[in-house]
Amino acid sequence: MPLAVVGALLLVLGAAAAAAGILPWPAVGALAERVGPILAFVAAITVVTELLNAAGLFEWMASYFRRWGRGRVWVLWLLVVGLSLAATVFLSLDTTAVLLTPIVVVLARRCGLPPLPFALTTVWLANTGSLLLPVSNLTNLLALHALGSVSPGEFAARMALPALWCAAVPVAAVALMFRRELAGRYNSVRLGRIQSDPDGGSRVTASSTDPVLLGLGAGVLALLLPALVTGVPVWIPATAAALVLLVAFGVRRRAVLRWALVPWQLLVFAAGLFLVMEALQYVGARELAAVVLGTGDGPGSLVRVAAVGAVGANVVNNLPAYLAFEQAAGGPARLVALLVGVNAGPLVAPWASLATLIWHEQLRRLGVGISWWGYAAAGAVLVPLMVVPAALLAALG
């Protein structure tokens, strides 16, 4: 079912809970005050990334990566690793799944390489690389409130060690699994322009890029990235960047501007999910979560919290899993361990994160096949290797 339909159903259920007195109206107001800026950021950053893609910025970067690789596959792959991590950390995991997946697949194909190592790198790092900054993942933005509204710098300092470990493990895994493919060389076929088609897939064309929009997009991105970590509420610089790009495209390429730039389905789904999960806190979910998570800040307790978060993400989805366990998690170290579980853990089930679902849809449109059994098996090996040490590292933050 489309996300918007599910979200609408969740909104109806949440409204019914409020009308019936299960969910107090003051709690609804507090929830709206908390998640409103988060949803505004999600909407703005999605518009920004879509317009940057339309300006040709990401494909321009991909073309330079191909040159910088100098025919060596492993160098090209390391550049993709860096781009995937940067996009995830500064623009969110969903951005990586939406925009970089088609770019790296088409880049690999135009270089005569199998796309799977590049595609797998993208989705794994989209999930596991989303621990460092608040903007990297919606769960991180939610956790800011529970952590006492810490600054992006303080958040990054607390998350640095778990984030580094969770990014390094999948990179090492891809290097090991595809060592033969990455040891080769690629050809010098000229890379065409990558464009999104109306169905959300991608195609390669030879059309030129508007240099004004490309330069403006690069400038907006260069200003936006540091602004996201200054401590200013992230929805403000994201909204400002979106407005600048909207005006520029309105002047030079008005046809690109459409309502589909705004992620309406995701916003409705997230709003409904927030409301229902808040209502469940008043009918026993909080008490059940406390029993499952246990207590204490010792190493064993933190591993337990992270493991429960990872299992919950793969059973339902990382966002409802975080919402279900947030209040029961407790102190900062336990919240960090929970974030480790729900952010780095969704590598087994295809529905464990929205980014994974988006990634798979992109692969389907591009004609790249993947075995979910193989994906799940690899994820089942990687998740404990990441989550357990990262949860222990959370105690050092």
Side-chain angles (χ1 to χ4, degrees), residues 19-71:
I22 298 173
L23 176 60
W25 285 108
V28 176
L31 179 67
E33 183 177 354
R34 177 186 178 188
V35 305
I38 295 174
L39 295 182
F41 168 76
V42 171
I45 202 65
T46 302
V47 172
V48 168
T49 51
E50 289 287 351
L51 292 179
L52 290 179
N53 186 49
L57 182 62
F58 293 101
E59 65 198 53
W60 176 81
M61 295 172 66
S63 68
Y64 271 89
F65 280 9
R66 175 182 160 272
R67 298 179 193 174
W68 294 338
R70 297 183 178 274

Side-chain angles (χ1 to χ4, degrees), residues 185-209:
R185 298 183 68 86
Y186 60 88
N187 61 37
S188 57
V189 175
R190 186 174 186 272
L191 182 67
R193 174 177 166 82
I194 306 169
Q195 289 185 325
S196 297
D197 64 29
D199 295 326
S202 297
R203 64 181 185 272
V204 178
T205 73
S207 58
S208 60
T209 298

Side-chain angles (χ1 to χ4, degrees), residues 220-253:
V220 166
L221 182 61
L223 293 174
L224 175 61
L225 296 185
L228 292 175
V229 296
T230 57
V232 176
V234 291
W235 69 269
I236 296 177
T239 301
L243 290 174
V244 170
L245 291 171
L246 286 169
V247 171
F249 272 86
V251 172
R252 299 189 67 87
R253 287 179 60 190

Side-chain angles (χ1 to χ4, degrees), residues 299-351:
S301 298
L302 295 181
V303 170
R304 177 177 177 175
V305 172
V308 169
V311 171
N314 285 288
V315 171
V316 285
N317 179 269
N318 64 337
L319 184 55
Y322 174 80
L323 293 172
F325 296 121
E326 180 193 62
Q327 293 188 29
R334 288 170 61 85
L335 276 170
V336 170
L338 178 59
L339 287 175
V340 166
V342 298
N343 287 10
L347 298 187
V348 180
W351 56 80

